[in-house]
Amino acid sequence: MQLTAEQEEWKRRAHEAGTEFREASEQWDREDKVDYAAVAKRFGELGFFGITAPREYGGQGLTCVEYLIAMSEILRASGSWICCEPLFATSGPGPSMLMLSQNEAVREKYLRDVVTGKLGCAIALTEPDHGSDLTHLEVSATSDGDGWIINGHKNYVTGAMHNELYAIFVRFDGIPGPRGIGAVVVHKDTPGFSMIKGPEFIGVRGIPHGDVFLDNVRVGPDDLIVGPGQFANLMQAFNMERLHNCGASLGLMMAAFDETSEHVQQRHQFGRPVIEFQSVYHALVDISITIDAHRLLAFEAARGAIDGRYPQMEAVSKAKLFGGTNVPLVTMKCLELMGGVGVTYDRLTQRLHRDAVTNVVAGGAPSVLRNSIASQIFPGIKFPQTKPRADK
Ligand SMILES: Cc1cc2nc3c(=O)[nH]c(=O)nc-3n(C[C@H](O)[C@H](O)[C@H](O)COP(=O)(O)OP(=O)(O)OC[C@H]3O[C@@H](n4cnc5c(N)ncnc54)[C@H](O)[C@@H]3O)c2cc1C
């Protein structure tokens, strides 16, 4: 895709920012630990907070195209997801839900602090018994006059333990199905809110993931993002999560291609650089085409975003599906081309592969994305996923 001169400069800055952390990211992976506050602070100083957020709330007023450029280039240069978390926390899906909210009170209360990085905002949809199936979520919000009492358990929350705010999907007043789902913001210091560290993942290590427990947590009208009956609006903001995943898969593919291309030019076997073997350069050609195809789909989704800010379901789901399913194939082929050294901790590609595998279902499993794309392509046909009740 042709970038403007400003976008080329933005890309160069993102690459430079990621390069700063290339060495440190190896240690983060090994120890599964990072001083996230320091990393976030640095990305704020480098100008990567609130990319798509409106200027009146302290954001940069840029678009999803700049978000995607920054995300993929920072990951490519650093080899680490952690460096992209500050972008996610200040204009990813949580902040996007706040931006899209019709409730001015919640925007006034939180948006400026989120966009400027003062308060990090994570997103909590998944529950132990409901991952892909968001329509049956159980975390409850029960009206108590002018507010709601929240109860339940969320898991796999990226950024739990270090973010201050949690955009939490809840079911209002027991209303069944998607009609009952909305979202509220909860500050971690609210009475009844607690967190524990989640299970250790094979990839995206260093990024904290946690479980969130809500025990009679009270939220007021200025904590309401979206009430019941607006599930489609909520999912529109969630599309930013999918664009973030697209940036991740693009960055991972490019980083693997970079390291592998360099290796096969330096490594000699049978008296010639390995790249001179046809099977090797053909494989690199195929990878390069896969990267281009993913880039086209991802930038198409970013360019078509409503108000430059909210990616549209069909385009971003297609891009996320293509990137998420192809990135492990790309990193796997790169490992093969690098030979034995590829699967040692001395090289980056093994980490990229673990990250790629970890990313396949995050933000929507491939089959679930296919369901959603089918509904977009064939709007007249219903694709019910819920098992019909035996008594019907
Ligand atoms: C690294 C990582 C980070 C994450 N971060 C967050 C976060 O910040 N916040 C958050 O809320 N969640 C987060 N998650 C959770 C993530 O959104 C879920 O893992 C994902 O939605 C899938 O849910 P599940 O794991 O329960 O899989 P399940 O829903 O149990 O699905 C398992 C498999 O069943 C199949 N399947 C399920 N339903 C259907 C269907 N209708 N049609 C066809 N096949 C189907 C699919 O093949 C799917 O892969 C994260 C997950 C990971 C791995």
Side-chain angles (χ1 to χ4, degrees), residues 33 66 141 144 175 204 220 230 269 315 322 346 360 364 388:
K33 205 169 76 189
E66 283 78 21
D144 76 341
I175 303 168
V204 300
Q230 298 173 59
Q269 288 295 287
F322 186 85
D346 295 344
V360 173

Side-chain angles (χ1 to χ4, degrees), residues 88 123-126 130-133 155-158 201 204 209 241 358 361-368 371 385:
F88 184 86
I123 180 163
L125 303 80
T126 308
H130 308 288
S132 304
D133 180 8
N155 65 346
Y156 289 152
V157 181
T158 304
F201 285 120
V204 300
H209 298 274
E241 165 97 16
T358 311
V361 302
S367 307
V368 174
N371 295 341
Q385 302 299 314

Side-chain angles (χ1 to χ4, degrees), residues 235 238-243 245-246 294 297-298 301-302 311-325 363-366 368-374 376:
M235 292 319 286
F238 186 67
N239 285 336
M240 201 55 197
E241 165 97 16
R242 297 189 172 133
L243 192 74
N245 292 125
C246 289
H294 181 40
L297 283 169
Q312 302 201 51
M313 182 71 90
E314 182 179 333
V316 80
S317 301
K318 285 178 173 171
K320 202 272 182 191
L321 176 63
F322 186 85
T325 49
V368 174
L369 291 169
R370 288 191 180 92
N371 295 341
S372 151
I373 296 165
Q376 300 287 318

Side-chain angles (χ1 to χ4, degrees), residues 15-16 26 30 39-40 62 67 95 103 121 138 145 164 203 210 217-218 222 259 262 276 293 295 339 359 375 378:
H15 196 90
E16 202 173 273
E26 190 191 330
R30 284 192 194 208
V39 176
L62 296 170
Y67 189 94
N103 181 6
C121 184
E138 288 178 73
E164 290 81 11
V217 170
R218 187 172 192 285
D222 52 359
E259 184 174 63
E262 198 183 322
E276 290 184 6
R295 187 182 289 115
N359 186 33
S375 303
F378 305 108

Side-chain angles (χ1 to χ4, degrees), residues 114-259:
V114 166
V115 163
T116 56
K118 206 168 151 196
L119 298 176
C121 184
I123 180 163
L125 303 80
T126 308
E127 298 174 4
D129 290 335
H130 308 288
S132 304
D133 180 8
L134 296 177
T135 60
H136 287 87
L137 292 180
E138 288 178 73
V139 168
S140 61
T142 310
S143 310
D144 76 341
D146 67 341
W148 296 270
I149 305 295
I150 315 295
N151 277 294
H153 174 191
K154 298 283 183 184
N155 65 346
Y156 289 152
V157 181
T158 304
M161 307 298 281
H162 72 73
N163 280 308
E164 290 81 11
L165 299 180
Y166 294 83
I168 300 189
F169 279 43
V170 293
R171 177 172 304 287
F172 282 93
D173 295 316
I175 303 168
R179 274 187 313 114
I181 309 292
V184 296
V185 188
V186 180
H187 192 286
K188 70 177 173 62
D189 294 338
T190 315
F193 183 96
S194 60
M195 293 183 274
I196 56 166
K197 194 174 186 299
E200 204 174 327
F201 285 120
I202 58 164
V204 300
R205 288 166 62 79
I207 297 182
H209 298 274
D211 284 36
V212 166
F213 299 91
L214 303 122
D215 181 12
N216 287 322
V217 170
R218 187 172 192 285
V219 295
D222 52 359
D223 300 312
L224 177 73
I225 302 177
V226 172
Q230 298 173 59
F231 190 63
N233 276 350
L234 208 51
M235 292 319 286
Q236 187 174 326
F238 186 67
N239 285 336
M240 201 55 197
E241 165 97 16
R242 297 189 172 133
L243 192 74
H244 186 81
N245 292 125
C246 289
S249 30
L250 188 55
L252 291 171
M253 285 183 193
M254 291 192 296
F257 183 82
D258 291 345
E259 184 174 63

